[in-house]
Amino acid sequence: MLRSRVITSELWRSRTDNQILRVIITAVVIAWPLQAEAQGPERIAMIAIDAPTRTELARISRQGPERIAMIAIDAPTRTELARISRLGLEIQMSPFGGDAVVFADQEELAALRTAGITFQITHENAEAWFASRLDVSLGPGSMGGYYTLAEVLTKVDELSTNYPNIISAKFSVGTSLEGREIWAFVVSDAPDPDTPDLSRPAVFYNS
C-alpha cells in the first residue's frame, strides 16, 4: 500500500504525457509482482441459485464481462460465408439457403463489420434470451424444468433407497476423458452388481 501511495503522488505531480506514461509503466511493473505474490492463483467458485425467475436469469446474464449476441445474415453469398469462416465463427444455416445465424462477441462483431459483412442483431444477449425461454412447467428440475447432473444422481439414490429389492445403489464403471465418474445401477430382481446372474439375458441402457 505504501508504494501505491507514492506512485499516485508522483503521477499527480507529473506535468507531461511522457512523465505520466513513465509513471504508469513503473506502477504496473511494481504492482504486478506484489499483487501476484499477495493474492496467489485466482480461484473460481461454483454457486447455486435456487429456482431463479426469468428476470433474475436475465439480470445474472447481464453481469458477465462478455455478452454473446445472436445475429442474422440475410442470404450470405459464398464469398461472405468464406469470410465469416476465416474469422473462426460457426455458421448455422439451412441447407436450402436463407438467413445464416451466427453467435459473436463484441470483438467478433467488430471483425464482421471490418470484413464488410452486413448483419442484423436479433438478440443483444443470446444467453439471456435463451434463459428467458426456459419453461419451468416442463418438470421439477431446477434447470428450466430439466434436471441437473447432481439432481439426476440424487434421483438415482432415491430409487435405490425406495426400491432396494430391484434397484442397486449406483456404482462407478470408470471415468470420462475429463475425469468425471461414470455412474451405473442395476435394475433386476437380483440387483447386486457384485454377483450378477450371467445366465440371464440383460440389457445395457446408456443415457
Side-chain angles (χ1 to χ4, degrees):
M1 294 298 293
L2 179 59
R3 291 189 181 183
S4 176
R5 287 196 293 270
V6 171
I7 290 170
T8 304
S9 176
E10 183 181 351
L11 178 59
W12 182 261
R13 291 195 303 269
S14 299
R15 289 292 182 268
T16 68
D17 291 341
N18 289 336
Q19 287 176 310
I20 292 175
L21 179 60
R22 178 178 59 79
V23 174
I24 290 176
I25 292 175
T26 304
V28 172
V29 171
I30 294 176
W32 172 254
L34 291 177
Q35 184 181 25
E37 182 179 355
Q39 294 183 355
E42 182 181 3
R43 294 184 182 181
I44 305 298
M46 178 186 295
I47 65 173
I49 302 173
D50 185 28
T53 64
R54 292 185 179 184
T55 302
E56 289 172 330
L57 288 171
R59 193 179 304 160
I60 294 167
S61 297
R62 287 195 295 268
Q63 296 299 320
E66 180 180 59
R67 294 189 191 180
I68 304 299
M70 179 190 297
I71 66 174
I73 301 171
D74 184 29
T77 64
R78 290 185 178 182
T79 302
E80 290 174 327
L81 290 174
R83 288 181 196 165
I84 297 168
S85 297
R86 282 196 293 269
L87 293 174
L89 295 173
E90 182 178 349
I91 304 168
Q92 301 182 19
M93 189 174 182
S94 167
F96 303 104
D99 290 352
V101 175
V102 175
F103 295 91
D105 60 25
Q106 295 303 311
E107 290 185 3
E108 291 165 338
L109 292 177
L112 286 169
R113 294 187 181 98
T114 302
I117 305 297
T118 301
F119 58 85
Q120 178 183 359
I121 298 178
T122 54
H123 299 286
E124 290 278 356
N125 191 329
E127 184 179 358
W129 179 70
F130 280 114
S132 69
R133 301 178 67 201
L134 293 175
D135 186 358
V136 295
S137 66
L138 293 174
S142 66
M143 190 171 59
Y146 298 95
Y147 287 125
T148 64
L149 175 59
E151 290 169 342
V152 169
L153 295 178
T154 297
K155 288 296 179 182
V156 170
D157 291 337
E158 290 177 1
L159 289 173
S160 175
T161 300
N162 295 334
Y163 309 100
N165 294 330
I166 59 173
I167 300 178
S168 73
K170 72 177 185 294
F171 56 93
S172 175
V173 293
T175 57
S176 68
L177 292 175
E178 296 183 348
R180 298 184 180 90
E181 295 287 348
I182 301 174
W183 297 105
F185 61 93
V186 176
V187 180
S188 170
D189 57 1
D192 186 356
D194 295 326
T195 58
D197 186 355
L198 300 179
S199 64
R200 304 173 62 181
V203 175
F204 172 73
Y205 180 77
N206 182 24
S207 174

